[in-house]
Amino acid sequence: AQTVTQSQPEMSVQEAETVTLSCTYDTSESDYYLFWYKQPPSRQMILVIRQEAYKQQNATENRFSVNFQKAAKSFSLKISDSQLGDAAMYFCAYRSARGRSQGNLIFGKGTKLSVKP
Amino acid sequence: DGGITQSPKYLFRKEGQNVTLSCEQNLNHDAMYWYRQDPGQGLRLIYYSQIVNDFQKGDIAEGYSVSREKKESFPLTVTSAQKNPTAFYLCASSTNRRSGAYNEQFFGPGTRLTVL
């Protein structure tokens, strides 16, 4: 079974600085997707960024980028120019691309990010 | 506006009572999901449905039941058999295209269930 591990329960960053959130996963599959979701205090889950395993190029969405290391099974999220609105829980998630459960997300336990003004 | 609605936002239940959480979507998505969120646990899958009139157990289905009679609706019933039902419940939906597509999951605002 696949697992997702986020080793940092809490992180803190100064406004305008850069922070990296870690995520590792375990799978025997070669074809899958990886996601980062943000959950602000409102508790609404918001997709931040996504990556297809077969793409070597790291995904980027404005100030958010990932470092995808397939061999190491690592998928870290970098937030540049941090803003107060970035303060939230961040969840890393895995989804198989094949098979009966290919739609299901497997989540890590989350990292709580605080942004200091 | 297209989206997912969950009601109610807060729900209180007496111990031993069944309660049903509502989830409706107008995104024309085939697949729908129920997750449970506890502090420090992330999200865990309770049930999912890839198509109308069909659903499958997730990782923590014991004490829960669902139905999928309409494409738009996927209600979750928390039964008295669920030993620790106090939690935050999230519903999601996605397209269900051929294998390999992103099929991004969109989430509702959630329901906070408290057992008194």
Side-chain angles (χ1 to χ4, degrees):
Chain A
Q2 296 82 19
T3 58
V4 176
T5 302
Q6 293 179 248
S7 59
Q8 307 151 316
E10 296 188 26
M11 291 283 285
S12 181
V13 64
Q14 203 73 32
E15 194 175 5
E17 297 294 308
T18 296
V19 65
T20 299
L21 308 184
S22 301
C23 173
T24 58
Y25 58 94
D26 189 25
T27 184
S28 58
E29 299 174 331
S30 60
D31 198 8
Y32 50 87
Y33 299 94
L34 296 164
F35 304 85
W36 278 99
Y37 279 88
K38 170 185 177 181
Q39 188 180 44
S42 68
R43 306 198 78 169
Q44 176 72 54
M45 293 287 283
I46 302 163
L47 179 65
V48 175
I49 199 165
R50 58 193 184 189
Q51 175 83 40
E52 293 165 290
Y54 66 84
K55 287 188 177 178
Q56 290 187 333
Q57 186 173 4
N58 289 324
T60 300
E61 289 287 343
N62 300 314
R63 298 183 294 108
F64 298 87
S65 62
V66 297
N67 184 5
F68 174 48
Q69 301 289 328
K70 190 172 184 179
K73 296 179 183 175
S74 171
F75 184 61
S76 61
L77 175 69
K78 186 171 83 171
I79 306 174
S80 304
D81 185 25
S82 297
Q83 301 175 0
L84 295 177
D86 294 334
M89 284 290 291
Y90 286 83
F91 293 96
C92 180
Y94 170 102
R95 182 172 80 75
S96 298
R98 301 278 183 265
R100 184 176 177 79
S101 63
Q102 57 98 8
N104 300 344
L105 289 171
I106 300 168
F107 286 88
K109 293 187 177 182
T111 296
K112 184 178 181 180
L113 178 66
S114 301
V115 180
K116 297 178 181 178
Chain B
D1 284 31
I4 302 175
T5 57
Q6 291 185 244
S7 60
K9 187 172 182 178
Y10 299 97
L11 189 56
F12 298 89
R13 187 195 92 177
K14 290 184 180 179
E15 203 166 333
Q17 288 181 338
N18 292 356
V19 64
T20 297
L21 281 59
S22 169
C23 177
E24 304 276 333
Q25 55 97 1
N26 60 4
L27 300 169
N28 199 32
H29 286 167
D30 287 307
M32 297 186 74
Y33 311 82
W34 273 106
Y35 294 92
R36 171 179 171 140
Q37 185 177 19
D38 296 281
Q41 289 285 343
L43 277 71
R44 293 181 291 170
L45 183 65
I46 305 172
Y47 267 98
Y48 64 100
S49 169
Q50 302 280 17
I51 197 167
V52 174
N53 292 323
D54 184 52
F55 49 83
Q56 304 296 326
K57 292 182 179 180
D59 299 320
I60 55 166
E62 185 175 350
Y64 300 97
S65 66
V66 294
S67 63
R68 186 85 189 277
E69 297 175 0
K70 298 187 300 182
K71 187 176 185 177
E72 302 79 19
S73 178
F74 191 41
L76 174 73
T77 296
V78 184
T79 74
S80 56
Q82 169 50 232
K83 292 184 176 11
N84 186 19
T86 293
F88 187 65
Y89 291 87
L90 283 158
C91 178
S93 71
S94 73
T95 55
N96 191 22
R97 300 191 189 105
R98 58 173 174 78
S99 290
Y102 267 124
N103 294 336
E104 173 189 340
Q105 288 192 20
F106 293 83
F107 285 82
T111 292
R112 172 69 183 178
L113 173 64
T114 302
V115 175
L116 304 173

